[in-house]
Amino acid sequence: MTKLSVNINKIATLRNARGGNVPNLLQVAKDIQQFGAHGITIHPRPDERHIRYQDARDLKPIVYTEFNIEGNPQHNFIDLVLETKPTQVTLVPDAIGAITSSAGWNTIEHQAYLKEVIQEFQRNHIRTSIFVDPVLKMIEGAKATGTDRIELYTESFAYEYGLGNKKGIEPYVKAAELANELGLGINAGHDLSLDNIQFFKQNIPGLLEVSIGHALICESLYLGLDNVVNMYLNKLK
């Protein structure tokens, strides 16, 4: 079964809107795990507009499933990851001030830097993943960095699927097949939803984990968080 890691950034956004502690991020993380999710994902950004660095520290003893921290490996982020030692760190090339992730790494241009950072995390027994587009040369470049996994950036698939174009999955299938040949684990995320997750799962060989936040939280407004988590789990079987 493909594992479901729930990104709780949107819970932090809602909390921060009023400046208090409602909703309680730690309680939500506990509940999501009790509902059956296999992990919790957070993506702190430099301006801490949703997840704060302190949230990562506070979540560490709360998350008893897999703890995944995403972000651009700048110095403060690297220090945070080494301090909290999550199960997995996912490296994302976010620009400062970006609303959301918009592209994968150029694993050829940034290969030396990624390799250095990945080695440091692996020395500390933290599994590494690199956010990449479904481009074969970028998959090959990811392999050269020494990363344990890649996370396929699925925005273009979700967009095409929403238009009724199921052929939008084809670059992802080819990327996954190459990753499997190279011995890279495969994660995926961005704009995956209840509408498209089953089709994606069924077509991607060796898909280990998906990270879903925005759609899952939005769907939960209508259907309930417990219900939605289990709807995803059923579609990922």
Side-chain angles (χ1 to χ4, degrees), residues 4 34-36 225-235:
L4 171 66
Q34 291 175 353
F35 297 156
L225 188 55
D226 187 356
N227 186 35
V228 167
V229 167
N230 280 280
M231 290 172 74
Y232 275 98
L233 294 176
N234 286 332
K235 290 177 181 292

Side-chain angles (χ1 to χ4, degrees), residues 2-3 5 10 19-20 29 38 40 65 83 101 115 119 179 182 214 218 220 226:
T2 300
K3 290 185 176 181
S5 187
K10 285 297 181 293
H38 305 105
I40 298 294
T65 55
E83 176 187 348
S101 305
K115 187 173 184 178
Q119 287 177 344
L182 295 174
H214 183 78
C218 292
S220 297
D226 187 356

Side-chain angles (χ1 to χ4, degrees), residues 149-166:
R149 296 187 183 186
I150 56 169
E151 178 172 328
L152 293 171
Y153 173 44
T154 50
E155 182 184 27
S156 64
F157 156 74
Y159 177 76
E160 293 297 331
Y161 188 86
L163 297 176
N165 178 21
K166 294 185 177 180

Side-chain angles (χ1 to χ4, degrees), residues 59-115:
L59 283 163
K60 173 63 177 178
I62 298 298
V63 180
Y64 57 84
T65 55
E66 291 198 350
F67 191 20
N68 175 45
I69 301 182
E70 300 179 341
N72 193 320
Q74 299 169 348
H75 291 299
N76 288 346
F77 179 83
I78 292 172
D79 291 343
L80 178 70
V81 172
L82 293 176
E83 176 187 348
T84 56
K85 290 185 169 57
T87 315
Q88 176 176 267
V89 57
T90 301
L91 307 182
V92 183
D94 285 333
I96 293 177
I99 294 175
T100 187
S101 305
S102 58
W105 284 97
N106 183 327
T107 58
I108 298 171
E109 180 179 341
H110 300 287
Q111 190 171 115
Y113 178 64
L114 288 169
K115 187 173 184 178

Side-chain angles (χ1 to χ4, degrees), residues 17-206:
R18 289 292 293 269
N21 194 36
V22 178
N24 185 311
L25 189 79
L26 302 185
Q27 186 60 51
V28 172
K30 291 178 183 177
D31 291 340
I32 287 171
Q33 293 173 101
Q34 291 175 353
F35 297 156
H38 305 105
I40 298 294
T41 291
I42 59 172
H43 190 147
R45 287 184 167 85
D47 59 9
E48 297 186 289
R49 64 181 181 271
H50 35 60
I51 290 291
R52 301 165 182 152
Y53 276 35
Q54 186 58 43
D55 290 330
R57 301 181 181 99
D58 294 340
L59 283 163
K60 173 63 177 178
I62 298 298
V63 180
Y64 57 84
T65 55
E66 291 198 350
F67 191 20
N68 175 45
I69 301 182
E70 300 179 341
N72 193 320
Q74 299 169 348
H75 291 299
N76 288 346
F77 179 83
I78 292 172
D79 291 343
L80 178 70
V81 172
L82 293 176
E83 176 187 348
T84 56
K85 290 185 169 57
T87 315
Q88 176 176 267
V89 57
T90 301
L91 307 182
V92 183
D94 285 333
I96 293 177
I99 294 175
T100 187
S101 305
S102 58
W105 284 97
N106 183 327
T107 58
I108 298 171
E109 180 179 341
H110 300 287
Q111 190 171 115
Y113 178 64
L114 288 169
K115 187 173 184 178
E116 179 183 355
V117 172
I118 287 166
Q119 287 177 344
E120 179 64 18
F121 289 143
Q122 290 175 337
R123 279 194 293 269
N124 284 271
H125 310 290
I126 302 168
R127 188 173 71 223
T128 59
S129 180
I130 300 179
F131 202 57
V132 293
D133 296 304
V135 178
L136 299 186
K137 65 180 181 180
M138 295 304 159
I139 308 300
E140 293 171 345
K143 175 63 177 179
T145 68
T147 189
D148 301 299
R149 296 187 183 186
I150 56 169
E151 178 172 328
L152 293 171
Y153 173 44
T154 50
E155 182 184 27
S156 64
F157 156 74
Y159 177 76
E160 293 297 331
Y161 188 86
L163 297 176
N165 178 21
K166 294 185 177 180
K167 290 187 178 180
I169 194 72
E170 292 177 0
Y172 293 88
V173 175
K174 293 177 182 177
E177 289 173 345
L178 178 58
N180 286 326
E181 290 175 11
L182 295 174
L184 290 170
I186 303 170
N187 299 340
H190 206 89
D191 289 347
L192 296 175
S193 69
L194 286 174
D195 290 334
N196 60 37
I197 188 63
Q198 190 169 41
F199 180 81
F200 188 82
K201 151 72 177 175
Q202 289 172 343
N203 284 276
I204 301 301

